[in-house]
Amino acid sequence: MQDSLISIIVPIFNVENYLAECIESIQKQTYKNLEIILIDDGSTDQSGEICEHYARNDRRIMVIHQKNNGVVAARKCGLKRARGRYIGFVDGDDYINLDMYERLIQDIENTGADFVHSGFIENNKKYIFEKKVVDLSSCRIDFLRNTILGLEDGISPSIWSKLFKADLIKKSHNHIPNDCSFGEDLLSLCNCIFECNRIAITSDYYYYYRVRNGSLSHKSDIHDLERVFKLYQYLCNIFSHYNSYPYLDDLADEFLWIKLLTYMDRISGYNFQISRFYFKNVYKLVGKKIVIYGAGKVGKDYYAQISRYSNCTLVSWIDLNPERYCYPYVKLEGIEILNTIDFDLLIVAVMKEEIAEKIYDQLINEGIDRTKIYWSKPEKFTLNDHGEISA
C-alpha cells in the first residue's frame, strides 16, 4: 500500500501560531510515502520561515513562496507541482490524526472510488457520516443536491476531509476562479461529483478543523450577501457545463434561497426557518405532550414552530448526540430521558425517510410505543411569484 505516492497540499497565510502543529501532524503520518507541498501565499508573519525550517529536515517537504493570491490560486500552484497518484489538502491552521492517510488510501484503493470522504472535528464538535460506497450512475443529482443543500444523505463540501485521485481533483479544482474566496470547496466538489463515478464514505473522523475569529468563512457582515450571490453565479456557471442533467437551475435557486436564510439567521440571532413541520390532523396535537427527536436544522426549525403552539406542551428536545449542539436557552437531552418522562407524541425531525426508519427501529428497541412515534417529510418554505414566503 505504501507504493502509491500521496501529495499533501497546504495553503498557508499568516498562521504562525498553528503551523508547526499542522506540519508535524503530516510529517508523523503512519503512511510515509508522502510529498508535502507547503504554499506560502504571501505571509507577512513568520509562516514562511517556519516552512523553511521544517523543509531543511525533511526531504519530503517542498516549500513554494508566492505573492498573496488567495487559497484557490495557492492550491492550484500545489496541484501543478504535485506528483502523487492521490492528493489531499490540509489548511495551515488545522491538523490531522496520525493515521489519516493510511486509512483513507486503504478505503480508496479497496473500493475503487475516485475519492474518499471522512468525518472531522470542528471546535470539539464531531461531524460523522454513514459508511458506504456511492455509485453515482444511479443517483448523481440526488447526491449532488443533498450535498449542496446540506441534507442527511450528502457529505461535507470541504476538500480537506477527503483524499482524491490526482487526475480528478486537478481537473475539477482548476476550473475554480482564482478570485473565489467563499464556497470554493463546494464548487470544486460539485465538479468532482459530475466528473467521477464512485465515492467512498467512511464513518471515521481524522481531521481537526480550527475556526478562528475573523476568518473569512465565518465572518457575518453585509459583504457576505455579495459573496453569497457571487457563489450562486459560480454554481450556475458550473451547472451550465452539465445541462444534460435535469433540474439544475432549480437546484441552484434552492441553494441560493437556503444560503440567504442561513445568512439572515446568522446575523440576526433569529431562526429563519427552512423546514416547515406538517401534521395532517393538526387538531390531534391539542393537549398533547410532545418530544422532538433530532437537533439538526430540521429539528431546530420544528422546535421554533412547535414551541409557539399554545394548545400543546413541548416536554423535551432530544438527540442521539446532544453534546454536538449548543443552542442558547434550550437544554438538549439524550434519548435515555425517554424512560423518565411522560409524553404522548415523539416527532422525528429529520429530512430523509430512511434515516427516520432507522430512528424508528432504534426507539422501538428502547421500548418506545411505535404508535407514539411520528415522521412526515418536512416541507420547504419557498418564495412565491410575489416574493412572499409560502409552504
Side-chain angles (χ1 to χ4, degrees):
M1 193 73 73
Q2 298 269 347
D3 291 341
S4 297
L5 178 66
I6 300 177
S7 297
I8 310 300
I9 298 171
V10 187
I12 295 162
F13 178 71
N14 288 353
V15 289
E16 61 181 4
N17 294 330
Y18 313 102
L19 188 53
E21 182 179 28
C22 171
I23 295 174
E24 289 177 14
S25 73
I26 303 173
Q27 283 183 302
K28 296 176 182 178
Q29 289 291 296
T30 55
Y31 192 90
K32 301 300 182 183
N33 193 13
L34 302 177
E35 175 185 56
I36 306 169
I37 306 174
L38 307 180
I39 312 296
D40 173 26
D41 190 39
S43 296
T44 56
D45 63 1
Q46 297 300 307
S47 294
E49 288 80 356
I50 294 171
C51 291
E52 293 291 349
H53 166 76
Y54 281 97
R56 284 193 291 270
N57 299 296
D58 192 334
R59 291 184 300 174
R60 299 176 301 172
I61 295 178
M62 174 195 312
V63 181
I64 300 172
H65 301 280
Q66 64 179 32
K67 67 178 182 179
N68 181 242
N69 289 317
V71 67
V72 173
R75 287 172 174 168
K76 285 182 180 179
C77 176
L79 287 169
K80 288 179 181 178
R81 304 293 290 272
R83 299 178 295 110
R85 180 180 180 185
Y86 302 105
I87 293 177
F89 298 87
V90 180
D91 285 351
D93 51 354
D94 300 334
Y95 61 99
I96 57 178
N97 276 357
L98 301 186
D99 62 348
M100 175 171 176
Y101 287 109
E102 180 180 6
R103 297 292 189 88
L104 292 187
I105 198 170
Q106 288 174 354
D107 288 332
I108 199 170
E109 294 198 340
N110 289 341
T111 61
D114 296 292
F115 72 84
V116 58
H117 167 73
S118 70
F120 56 94
I121 295 181
E122 178 181 325
N123 285 8
N124 297 319
K125 180 178 176 181
K126 296 177 183 177
Y127 292 84
I128 302 172
F129 300 81
E130 180 185 358
K131 183 176 181 178
K132 57 185 174 181
V133 177
V134 182
D135 183 350
L136 293 175
S137 62
S138 60
C139 64
R140 191 180 309 275
I141 299 305
D142 285 342
F143 187 83
L144 180 71
R145 180 178 185 275
N146 292 340
T147 296
I148 287 177
L149 302 184
L151 304 179
E152 283 92 341
D153 269 5
I155 56 176
S156 164
S158 55
I159 66 172
W160 36 254
S161 59
K162 301 169 177 63
L163 182 65
F164 300 88
K165 286 184 176 179
D167 290 345
L168 172 67
I169 191 59
K170 287 180 178 181
K171 179 179 181 180
S172 298
H173 200 72
N174 283 331
H175 288 306
I176 309 305
N178 284 351
D179 63 349
C180 182
S181 59
F182 178 77
E184 65 278 359
D185 284 14
L186 176 64
L187 298 176
S188 183
L189 185 61
C190 286
N191 278 322
C192 285
I193 291 173
F194 279 117
E195 294 292 336
C196 74
N197 298 311
R198 178 178 293 179
I199 298 169
I201 303 173
T202 176
S203 57
D204 295 318
Y205 56 91
Y206 310 108
Y207 194 98
Y208 293 82
Y209 176 67
R210 182 179 278 117
V211 178
R212 295 184 292 126
N213 292 334
S215 63
L216 179 62
S217 60
H218 291 86
K219 285 181 178 178
S220 296
D221 57 39
I222 192 62
H223 299 294
D224 214 9
L225 276 178
E226 180 182 354
R227 290 190 283 266
V228 165
F229 278 102
K230 199 167 187 177
L231 178 58
Y232 166 72
Q233 291 168 344
Y234 286 146
L235 189 63
C236 289
N237 184 55
I238 289 175
F239 286 174
S240 70
H241 296 291
Y242 301 98
N243 54 21
S244 61
Y245 293 98
Y247 310 121
L248 292 181
D249 289 343
D250 293 339
L251 176 55
D253 291 344
E254 188 174 7
F255 168 80
L256 176 61
W257 169 241
I258 289 177
K259 278 293 182 183
L260 291 175
L261 286 178
T262 303
Y263 169 75
M264 295 302 295
D265 186 17
R266 193 166 68 244
I267 67 171
S268 70
Y270 178 77
N271 181 33
F272 279 76
Q273 296 155 28
I274 297 171
S275 304
R276 172 180 177 268
F277 172 66
Y278 175 73
F279 196 78
K280 187 174 182 180
N281 297 310
V282 178
Y283 72 90
K284 290 187 177 181
L285 294 179
V286 175
K288 295 293 191 296
K289 289 176 282 190
I290 296 173
V291 173
I292 297 175
Y293 184 117
K297 181 57 183 169
V298 175
K300 187 178 177 183
D301 288 354
Y302 279 15
Y303 179 87
Q305 295 164 63
I306 296 172
S307 62
R308 295 199 297 266
Y309 295 168
S310 60
N311 54 6
C312 61
T313 303
L314 185 55
V315 296
S316 186
W317 188 8
I318 68 172
D319 192 86
L320 182 62
N321 300 292
E323 70 279 358
R324 291 175 55 183
Y325 303 91
C326 183
Y327 295 144
Y329 314 116
V330 179
K331 183 180 180 182
L332 284 168
E333 306 282 0
I335 64 173
E336 63 276 1
I337 199 174
L338 294 175
N339 296 318
T340 66
I341 61 174
D342 181 32
F343 65 94
D344 303 306
L345 182 66
L346 187 151
I347 297 173
V348 178
V350 297
M351 183 64 66
K352 290 290 185 178
E353 184 174 3
E354 54 265 34
I355 304 296
E357 289 175 352
K358 292 179 181 178
I359 293 173
Y360 265 78
D361 293 340
Q362 174 194 42
L363 292 173
I364 291 169
N365 287 337
E366 293 289 328
I368 305 303
D369 184 351
R370 185 181 184 91
T371 63
K372 290 186 175 183
I373 308 171
Y374 177 81
W375 176 85
S376 65
K377 186 172 182 61
E379 295 188 351
K380 292 284 187 180
F381 286 105
T382 58
L383 289 178
N384 62 26
D385 293 338
H386 303 289
E388 301 166 333
I389 296 177
S390 60

